[in-house]
């Protein structure tokens, strides 16, 4: 009787350990910020910032001026220009953006559009002061509809939320968009 | 101890010894087969221009290798590899040829050349990023060493291994590089 009880105890322990191993989140998911879906036009709030997706434009080419040179960038896909309004909560900070396409692939800010006027990568957001910024992505056109703009804090994203901002209505694709200072 | 008992003990020991040796041999052979499977091939397979090669993060399709005149007077000639790159991962890549970068390695007469400069054909700027599903044409340019005599050169392509859960933290990691393909050819335009 005592022997049967011991065996049952060991089996129960093994089952408990197995269940814990199966359900423990792995490293890849532990170090992700908490996803927070935000409806189109609404303001999303994370622990360290709040933001709103104010506009979306699509273009075959973009033009801007950098270091005194006029540059035009073309793509086999499409340039997606996301306009956002954001402010920090508590402490000044920068924001990082990724476009999560319809297929789930993640498109980083296009480095071919670095240093555009009001570019997100060069913007600081202050507590209590709303600020506008532009994020430019380069991606295949079929990744636009059904995608979302994912905004995170640049430095402490892990213990904060990632705002998944649904885009406003999709606009017509323009041949070229010029960024004026 | 009687003679019969001694014989029986000896036979049992012999049987157990043979079984142990058999098991140990099977384990060793199994381990060795795994090592052989994981080991990089000494001679990676030859590929021809136009054949895609999987480098882990990207797929490269070498198109043509040409000898080109110097960009400016006083500079050495350049060897240009035109290629097509496609990001195979689910996110934009800054480390297109892995980290540390392992672009195709060019060697002539067994001597390795310094790393090439990689530009985007679309606008002539340096390649800094590659997005998923957006294939790009690029040019890899090597400066020709002054003592090089035009002749056959070899290009070695390296693939970086991806592990979804590595052995240290159980996190997704890009690990070792292995040579996966080689291309030998005489550059077009060589006298």
């Amino acid at each position: 009787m005592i022997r049967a009880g011991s065996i049952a105890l060991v089996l129960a322990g093994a089952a408990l350990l197995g269940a814990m191993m199966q359900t423990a989140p792995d490293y890849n998911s532990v170090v992700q910020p908490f996803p927070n879906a935000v409806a189109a036009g609404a303001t999303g709030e994370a622990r360290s910032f709040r933001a709103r997706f104010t506009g979306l434009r699509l273009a075959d080419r973009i033009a801007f001026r950098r270091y005194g040179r006029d540059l035009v960038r073309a793509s086999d896909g499409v340039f997606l220009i996301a306009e956002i309004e954001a402010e920090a909560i508590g402490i000044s900070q920068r924001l990082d953006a990724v476009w999560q396409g319809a297929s789930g692939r993640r498109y980083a800010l296009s480095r071919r559009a670095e240093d555009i006027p009001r570019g997100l990568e060069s913007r600081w957001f202050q507590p209590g002061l709303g600020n506008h910024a532009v994020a430019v992505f380069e991606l295949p056109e079929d990744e636009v509809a059904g995608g979302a703009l994912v905004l995170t804090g640049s430095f402490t994203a892990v213990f904060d939320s990632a705002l998944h901002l649904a885009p406003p209505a999709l606009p017509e694709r323009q041949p070229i968009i010029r960024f004026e200072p | 101890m009687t003679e019969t008992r001694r014989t029986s003990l000896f036979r049992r020991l012999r049987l157990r010894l043979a079984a142990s040796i058999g098991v140990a041999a099977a384990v060793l052979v199994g381990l060795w087969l795994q090592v052989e499977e994981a080991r990089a091939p000494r001679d990676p397979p030859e590929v021809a221009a136009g054949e895609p090669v999987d480098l882990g993060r990207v797929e490269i399709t070498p198109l043509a290798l040409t000898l080109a005149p110097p960009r400016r007077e006083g500079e050495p000639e350049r060897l240009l590899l035109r290629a097509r790159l496609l990001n195979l991962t689910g996110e934009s890549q800054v480390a297109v040829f892995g980290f540390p970068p392992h672009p195709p390695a060019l060697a002539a007469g067994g001597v390795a050349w310094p790393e090439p400069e990689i530009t985007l054909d679309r606008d002539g700027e340096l390649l800094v990023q590659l997005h998923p599903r957006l294939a790009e044409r690029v040019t890899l340019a090597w400066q020709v060493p002054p003592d090089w005599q035009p002749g056959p050169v070899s290009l070695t392509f390296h693939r970086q291994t991806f592990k979804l859960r590595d052995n240290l933290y159980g996190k997704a990691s890009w690990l070792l590089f292995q040579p996966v393909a080689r291309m030998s050819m005489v550059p077009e335009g060589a006298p």
Side-chain angles (χ1 to χ4, degrees), chain A residues 17-85:
Chain A
L17 274 174
M20 283 164 70
M21 280 174 67
Q22 287 300 313
T23 54
D26 66 354
Y27 190 99
N28 296 327
S29 54
V30 165
V31 295
Q32 297 298 321
F34 310 107
N36 183 358
V38 180
T43 301
E45 187 160 326
R47 184 188 276 179
S48 63
F49 67 95
R50 59 177 70 93
R52 192 164 67 90
F53 199 157
T54 53
L56 174 66
R57 289 185 288 166
L58 299 173
D60 294 331
R61 290 180 300 154
I62 54 169
F64 57 101
R65 197 168 172 79
R66 184 167 69 188
Y67 308 136
R69 278 176 64 206
D70 285 318
L71 299 172
V72 177
R73 299 280 189 238
S75 171
D76 275 352
V78 63
F79 284 104
L80 185 155
I81 297 126
E83 291 160 6
I84 62 157
E85 184 184 0

Side-chain angles (χ1 to χ4, degrees), chain B residues 149-178:
Chain B
Q149 297 298 320
V153 294
S154 82
L155 278 159
T156 309
F157 300 92
H158 293 86
R159 180 192 297 156
Q160 193 170 19
T161 311
F162 177 73
K163 224 172 167 184
L164 188 60
R165 293 183 181 195
D166 68 20
N167 295 356
L168 189 58
Y169 295 114
K171 71 186 185 76
S173 294
W174 287 97
L175 301 165
L176 299 175
F177 289 90
Q178 291 185 345

